[in-house]
Amino acid sequence: MSGAREGAGGAGGGPDAAAALEHVRAAGVRAAAALAEAGARDEALAEFVPERRRYSIRRRAKMRPIGRVWRLGVFLLARDGTLLAAGPTTRAVPPGHPNYQSASGEERRAYRAAAFQGPFERGEVVNFAARPLEPVDAASPLTIVGGEPLVRWSPGAAPAPFDAYLAERVDLLVHPPDGA
């Protein structure tokens, strides 16, 4: 979360926002330690590198591994405690044949192909296009109001208290429901 600025949605920045960001950072470190100790299931984090041509040689799109993360709803948590805003996911499975039914379907197929050709376990979930948390960004799942960190887990939902949201998500990974 090193890229987070000291302003926040409606907070106006200042010491309250800085304290809230430090609280979020410390909570991420504690959550990562708890998840590592419990042996919670993690997922791959990758960078999508689009197809390109260089000197008339075609280079396929690929997923370049960056590390391992735990998915905590709208957040991804790195092993060092850094929280990221979750991006799209795919699986490292055979992409199937082009069907040209829709542009979005072909885009998802291209992501599956890139993950499948990468160094990931077959069937593994691959997260990509994750971005640092920027509380001043309207699209960020983290906002700070009155010095209090809040989570926007859905565009139309009211923000939830960060600590409660994080605790619930960590508990779900440490104690997954039967059949999960």
Side-chain angles (χ1 to χ4, degrees), residues 14-133:
D16 288 346
L21 289 174
E22 181 55 32
H23 173 79
V24 167
R25 189 199 65 71
V29 170
R30 287 190 304 274
L35 291 168
E37 183 179 318
R41 180 184 58 84
D42 62 3
E43 300 175 353
L45 178 62
E47 173 190 10
F48 178 72
V49 180
E51 180 181 307
R52 60 191 163 97
R53 290 189 179 275
R54 187 167 191 184
Y55 305 118
S56 299
I57 299 171
R58 180 178 161 239
R59 308 274 183 188
R60 289 188 206 188
K62 64 181 178 179
M63 293 280 184
R64 182 179 308 137
I66 297 174
R68 307 290 301 175
V69 293
W70 291 284
R71 175 170 280 280
L72 301 174
V74 295
F75 299 119
L76 298 177
L77 178 63
R79 294 201 172 270
D80 67 358
T82 301
L83 281 165
L84 303 166
T89 63
T90 191
R91 284 196 178 268
V93 296
H97 298 289
N99 61 20
Y100 306 108
Q101 293 288 322
S102 69
S104 62
E106 287 305 302
E107 182 178 46
R108 289 189 305 273
R109 192 183 75 71
Y111 290 141
R112 281 192 307 273
F116 186 69
Q117 294 162 8
F120 305 103
E121 297 283 327
R122 296 301 176 233
E124 182 172 21
V125 173
V126 179
N127 296 278
F128 61 100
R131 58 194 192 284
L133 289 178

